[in-house]
Amino acid sequence: MTSTPALPTSPTAAAAPSSLVLRSKESLTPDIVRLTLTRPDGDPAPLPDWRPGAHVDLHLADGLIRPYSLCSDPADRRRWQVAVAREADGGRGGSAYVHDELEPGDVVAVHGPRNHFPLDPAPRYLFLAGGIGITPLLSMLAEAERSGADWQLVYGGRSLAAMAFRAELLAVYGDARVRLVPQDTQGLPDLDALLGTPRPDTLVYCCGPEGLLRAAERRCASWPRGTLRTERFTPPAPGPPLADAAFEVELARTGTTLTVPPGSSVLETVEQAGVDVLFSCREGTCGTCETAVLDGTVDHRDALLTPDERAAHDTMLICVSRAAAACHRLVLDL
């Protein structure tokens, strides 16, 4: 994700996950299911408030924790909905479990919501979606429509049959606002035409496969800084090897100092010391483990923080980021 995240909250402050019931599991395409989650029967408490772009972490079998974007109506406090695509190569097991094992009536532990991909106010929006990347944009479209903003959605997929929510989008907004681009008949979206000329007062929100995100980043390089907001479901390809020296982390709340050895992450080190932390992807994409940095300089290795946030060195994703080469100690709000 690349956006303006909410202020970080320390993973150690995590409350226990909510126990929600899977009320329905609906096939939207051959490879995508929509899950509807509610409080257990007899529990009248509304679900926590959330805004477009938020995600929740589902605790699945065998310790799997996976983030999924909320794609329902934020005003509906009775239910949450997420859509899950089956990963073609099996992924890390989360999507296979959802598709093959999870059934209506099952109780699911859920953390969140969290929002590192918020919809900021703007007169105009261009929304770019690829495949399952449509999910965080659905509630954004409704919000943009309610605000009276001018907006357009360009939604690409392998084929029309593989594109979830296509009928709903056209029924609600029509083809003047929604452009479907199935690759098997139309090829890839024409990003040169869409992004070739910077447009004032326009924010671009993009979510989908890495190829789409990188192409959008290249074409938005000449746009005003902060125009493009992206969310990644998987980490980008690794760059050149970085320094991996040992360093210390001081846990400010207890005064404990730990050594993070080469080859280990801050998250792994604090876990081994018995510190209860929240995490999900362990890849620097979801933001669940974001932690405030009270002192020190960070070697940021995530796919979430903006350049300005990285330059501030006041927050880090402890699952992947480390102390910078010239910094031998980080002080964390843990």
Side-chain angles (χ1 to χ4, degrees):
M1 307 175 192
T2 303
S3 60
T4 304
L7 292 175
T9 55
S10 172
T12 55
S18 300
S19 294
L20 303 184
V21 176
L22 179 62
R23 293 298 179 185
S24 66
K25 177 180 174 181
E26 174 189 3
S27 293
L28 302 180
T29 76
D31 295 316
I32 298 174
V33 293
R34 174 165 54 190
L35 310 180
T36 298
L37 299 151
T38 71
R39 298 272 191 200
D41 291 337
D43 185 345
L47 291 169
D49 190 24
W50 63 279
R51 303 306 307 152
H55 73 268
V56 292
D57 298 322
L58 302 190
H59 293 237
L60 305 173
D62 300 323
L64 290 173
I65 305 174
R66 296 291 180 263
Y68 297 108
S69 296
L70 288 166
C71 59
S72 45
D73 182 355
D76 187 350
R77 304 285 297 279
R78 300 167 301 169
R79 64 177 186 168
W80 283 342
Q81 290 182 322
V82 300
V84 181
R86 182 190 290 277
E87 297 183 52
D89 59 358
R92 295 169 297 156
S95 69
Y97 179 83
V98 168
H99 278 256
D100 299 335
E101 304 295 336
L102 203 59
E103 296 293 343
D106 288 348
V107 176
V108 182
V110 183
H111 261 120
R114 295 182 184 81
N115 199 340
H116 290 270
F117 193 44
L119 182 70
D120 289 336
R124 281 176 290 278
Y125 300 97
L126 174 60
F127 298 103
L128 301 175
I132 195 62
I134 187 63
T135 52
L137 303 184
L138 292 171
S139 57
M140 293 186 182
L141 304 181
E143 183 68 21
E145 185 76 3
R146 282 192 292 266
S147 73
D150 183 19
W151 63 268
Q152 180 185 23
L153 168 68
V154 178
Y155 175 18
R158 297 189 309 276
S159 65
L160 281 176
M163 298 168 70
F165 304 103
R166 66 189 185 280
E168 296 172 34
L169 288 166
L170 291 174
V172 173
Y173 302 116
D175 57 10
R177 291 284 183 94
V178 176
R179 186 191 308 175
L180 302 181
V181 187
Q183 185 175 355
D184 60 345
T185 58
Q186 299 184 32
L188 299 174
D190 187 351
L191 296 186
D192 288 327
L194 292 167
L195 301 173
T197 302
R199 285 184 265 173
D201 303 322
T202 300
L203 291 181
V204 181
Y205 281 79
C206 182
C207 186
E210 185 63 21
L212 172 65
L213 300 181
R214 287 190 176 273
E217 289 169 344
R218 288 194 299 271
R219 289 164 176 81
C220 283
S222 61
W223 288 55
R225 184 170 181 171
T227 293
L228 176 63
R229 316 295 176 88
T230 63
E231 180 170 62
R232 283 177 161 85
F233 292 144
T234 57
L242 299 173
D244 196 26
F247 62 96
E248 293 182 341
V249 289
E250 179 183 336
L251 312 185
R253 298 187 188 184
T254 63
T256 303
T257 297
L258 305 172
T259 298
V260 181
S264 292
S265 67
V266 176
L267 173 60
E268 291 167 339
T269 300
V270 298
E271 281 185 304
Q272 291 168 5
V275 180
D276 185 18
V277 294
L278 274 182
F279 64 90
S280 179
C281 71
R282 292 187 182 267
E283 295 177 332
T285 58
C286 74
T288 303
C289 70
E290 187 177 1
T291 302
V293 178
L294 305 180
D295 190 40
T297 306
V298 182
D299 174 4
H300 293 286
R301 304 185 183 188
D302 63 272
L304 176 70
L305 300 179
T306 66
D308 287 344
E309 289 159 348
R310 293 184 177 199
H313 296 286
D314 58 6
T315 187
M316 68 183 292
L317 271 63
I318 62 173
C319 65
V320 292
S321 297
R322 303 176 66 79
C327 176
H328 304 293
R329 174 183 289 224
L330 295 173
V331 181
L332 305 181
D333 185 21
L334 290 175

